[in-house]
Amino acid sequence: MHETSIVNSIFRTLEQEFEVEKLNNMKAIHLKVGILSNIEPRLLYNAYEAFHMTNPIYQKVKLEIEMTELKIKCEICEHITNVKNYRFICDNCKKPSKNVIQGEEMLIHKVEFDD
Ligand SMILES: [Zn+2]
């Protein structure tokens, strides 16, 4: 399953980044998920619950998912537009643009630890 490998890769990243003692005090993980990323938050939460079965040490770590808006940057006037209803049209000059600058990615935005 797609979401399971995402959860695994999040923890692989964190385990590379932080010491074990730090990871043991991890409280919450905040993700930013673009609406074009093909990630379904509900499935990601489910995959995360399943991940706890095999990794109970992370049981108390909360997962927070924030969906990020879709943004395009116009190639002609460089204006940045928030795309609504999948209308890829520059707000400023009204030309169509497919130059997506936000909304396709998934990133670990913030990790919280107990002091
Ligand atoms: Zn424009």
Side-chain angles (χ1 to χ4, degrees):
M1 194 173 76
H2 179 54
E3 276 74 12
T4 303
S5 58
I6 293 167
V7 171
N8 285 330
S9 78
I10 290 167
F11 277 87
R12 262 201 307 275
T13 305
L14 294 173
E15 283 166 355
Q16 275 164 18
E17 189 125 344
F18 299 106
E19 305 286 325
V20 178
E21 303 87 74
K22 197 99 172 130
L23 289 172
N24 287 340
N25 290 322
M26 192 159 57
K27 198 164 69 174
I29 302 166
H30 297 259
L31 299 180
K32 285 199 174 190
V33 174
I35 60 168
L36 284 190
S37 65
N38 282 324
I39 297 171
E40 179 74 57
R42 189 177 50 84
L43 295 179
L44 198 54
Y45 283 123
N46 288 348
Y48 188 54
E49 295 220 340
F51 174 82
H52 285 152
M53 311 260 194
T54 44
N55 300 272
I57 53 161
Y58 295 123
Q59 191 81 47
K60 61 179 173 51
V61 182
K62 274 187 21 190
L63 184 68
E64 303 278 353
I65 301 173
E66 183 193 328
M67 299 304 286
T68 57
E69 286 184 316
L70 186 50
K71 288 186 181 174
I72 51 169
K73 184 175 182 184
C74 180
E75 291 95 333
I76 297 155
C77 71
E78 304 210 319
H79 181 78
I80 293 171
T81 303
N82 282 336
V83 175
K84 297 203 177 62
N85 303 318
Y86 297 95
R87 284 185 75 240
F88 290 80
I89 295 170
C90 174
D91 265 349
N92 186 46
C93 70
K94 311 299 178 198
K95 295 280 192 298
S97 170
K98 291 275 183 198
N99 185 27
V100 175
I101 56 163
Q102 182 192 288
E104 289 177 318
E105 70 294 302
M106 188 225 69
L107 55 94
I108 301 169
H109 172 58
K110 196 170 71 175
V111 183
E112 283 181 69
F113 298 96
D114 278 323
D115 299 321

